[in-house]
């Protein structure tokens, strides 16, 4: 009797264990990215992370464009329990007791910069779509693209083009917190870390025709500043006139919003280039 009882109990426990350990695959479906004219597209996105609560973090990756995303395992909750997922491509996730955000710092080396993409899928259960989680990513940063030219008058005065040695964007806040529930950024006094970004790549010959700077897009924390000399955001232009190296500054009034592109044409004339 004792042996029979032990055998029966062991069999029941095994079946229950097998039921608990049945894998429930999680499959992400990236539906798209909201701003289509940016360098990062659905086709070129190759990695991101996704959190359920603070401790459940999943890292997804593709090794080749066009591949499907790797499969993970659904969190240990009931198949009908609805939960929230938060995805992001960079930064540090904080669940923050139901008011989640991503802390993000813009790389100071422009060539190493990446846009911050974010997505969420709230109140989904395993049974809702057989373990599939669909994601539509938004661009959380502002994309800034500089072009530069000289005026016809300056071209006449110089009797030719201008050699610009560097263009540096200065006094820009580089760190902030993006909140999922509001889609807004918060920049605390503690996080008012200003940075500068060299937007050119070596000497360039500037003519009367606008040309893109070699570094391409800059991905910036959304922020607003009035033009205020060198106390606010400004451009530092280092150039050569004759055999002399000179410097000029251009104050910038900015109102950069998440998900927007900002083309800025730097037009150098006789009032700036002395």
């Amino acid at each position: 009797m004792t042996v029979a009882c032990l055998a029966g109990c062991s069999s029941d426990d095994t079946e229950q264990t097998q039921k608990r350990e049945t894998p429930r695959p999680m499959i992400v479906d990236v539906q798209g990215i909201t701003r289509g004219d940016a360098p990062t597209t659905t086709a070129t996105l190759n990695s991101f992370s996704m959190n359920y609560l603070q401790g459940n973090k999943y890292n997804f990756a593709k090794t080749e464009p066009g591949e499907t995303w790797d499969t993970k395992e659904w969190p240990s909750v009931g198949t009908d329990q609805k939960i929230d997922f938060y995805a992001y491509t960079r930064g540090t996730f904080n669940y923050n007791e139901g008011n989640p955000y991503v802390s993000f710092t813009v790389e100071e080396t422009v060539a190493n910069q990446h846009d911050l993409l974010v997505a969420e899928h709230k109140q989904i259960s395993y049974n809702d779509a057989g373990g599939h989680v669909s994601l539509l990513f938004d661009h959380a940063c502002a994309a800034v693209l500089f072009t530069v030219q000289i005026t016809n008058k300056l071209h006449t005065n110089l009797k030719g083009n201008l050699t610009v040695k560097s263009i540096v964007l200065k006094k820009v806040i580089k760190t902030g917190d993006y909140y999922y529930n509001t889609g807004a950024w918060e920049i605390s006094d503690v996080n008012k870390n200003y940075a500068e970004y060299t937007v050119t790549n070596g000497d360039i010959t500037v003519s009367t025709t606008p040309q893109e700077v070699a570094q391409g897009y800059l991905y910036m924390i959304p922020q607003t500043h009035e033009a205020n000399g060198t106390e606010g955001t400004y451009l530092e232009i280092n150039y050569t006139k004759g055999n002399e190296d000179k410097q000029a500054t251009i104050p910038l009034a900015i109102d950069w919003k998440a998900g927007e592109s900002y083309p800025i044409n730097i037009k150098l004339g006789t009032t700036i280039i002395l």
Side-chain angles (χ1 to χ4, degrees):
M1 292 293 294
T2 302
V3 173
C5 179
L6 288 174
C9 292
S10 174
S11 175
D12 289 343
D13 287 345
T14 300
E15 288 180 6
Q16 291 173 7
T17 301
Q18 289 175 344
K19 288 180 181 178
R20 284 197 301 267
E21 294 179 353
T22 299
R24 294 183 298 170
M26 176 195 294
I27 304 164
V28 295
D29 303 311
V30 177
Q31 296 180 323
I33 299 173
T34 54
R35 190 179 66 220
D37 62 342
T40 304
T41 64
T42 307
T44 59
L45 178 65
N46 57 22
S47 66
F48 65 91
S49 298
M50 187 170 74
N51 274 64
Y52 158 62
L53 300 177
Q54 184 66 44
N56 295 74
K57 179 179 179 181
Y58 304 89
N59 294 317
F60 292 91
K62 290 191 297 186
T63 56
E64 296 290 341
E67 286 188 352
T68 57
W69 295 99
D70 46 1
T71 301
K72 305 297 182 183
E73 187 171 344
W74 199 266
S76 299
V77 297
T79 56
D80 287 321
Q81 182 176 334
K82 294 186 181 295
I83 58 179
D84 300 334
F85 290 108
Y86 301 95
Y88 50 100
T89 55
R90 295 288 187 281
T92 303
F93 177 81
N94 296 274
Y95 183 66
N96 193 34
E97 298 182 355
N99 188 21
Y101 65 91
V102 174
S103 294
F104 180 72
T105 299
V106 177
E107 289 275 356
E108 293 192 40
T109 302
V110 175
N112 295 337
Q113 285 185 1
H114 297 276
D115 197 0
L116 171 61
L117 304 177
V118 293
E120 61 182 357
H121 196 136
K122 302 183 76 170
Q123 293 299 284
I124 182 174
S125 72
Y126 179 81
N127 284 343
D128 283 341
H132 285 258
V133 180
S134 58
L135 298 170
L136 177 62
F137 280 91
D138 291 318
H139 293 264
C141 289
V144 183
L145 184 64
F146 288 97
T147 55
V148 60
Q149 69 180 113
I150 60 174
T151 63
N152 290 329
K153 184 176 179 180
L154 180 59
H155 187 271
T156 300
N157 289 357
L158 294 174
K159 295 182 174 59
N161 298 324
L162 178 70
T163 299
V164 172
K165 301 180 72 65
S166 67
I167 300 174
V168 185
L169 177 65
K170 294 199 168 189
K171 287 286 184 75
V172 182
I173 295 172
K174 68 174 184 177
T175 299
D177 299 326
Y178 173 87
Y179 281 79
Y180 285 89
N181 291 345
T182 61
W185 285 84
E186 289 189 10
I187 301 170
S188 66
D189 289 336
V190 174
N191 284 338
K192 283 188 177 177
N193 297 321
Y194 291 98
E196 61 181 53
Y197 301 92
T198 301
V199 301
T200 52
N201 186 12
D203 294 1
I204 57 175
T205 300
V206 181
S207 69
T208 56
T209 302
Q211 60 178 295
E212 283 188 13
V213 298
Q215 298 279 49
Y217 278 99
L218 279 73
Y219 297 105
M220 298 284 103
I221 300 290
Q223 55 196 283
T224 301
H225 300 292
E226 295 181 358
N228 186 23
T230 57
E231 295 298 314
T233 303
Y234 68 98
L235 289 167
E236 178 186 276
I237 314 295
N238 296 291
Y239 64 97
T240 300
K241 188 176 180 184
N243 295 321
E244 188 177 358
D245 289 339
K246 293 190 172 186
Q247 187 179 95
T249 59
I250 304 174
L252 289 181
I254 61 173
D255 184 14
W256 294 337
K257 294 180 171 58
E260 299 291 336
S261 298
Y262 295 92
I264 298 177
N265 184 45
I266 306 166
K267 199 167 187 177
L268 303 174
T270 55
T271 58
I272 298 170
I273 304 302
L274 302 176

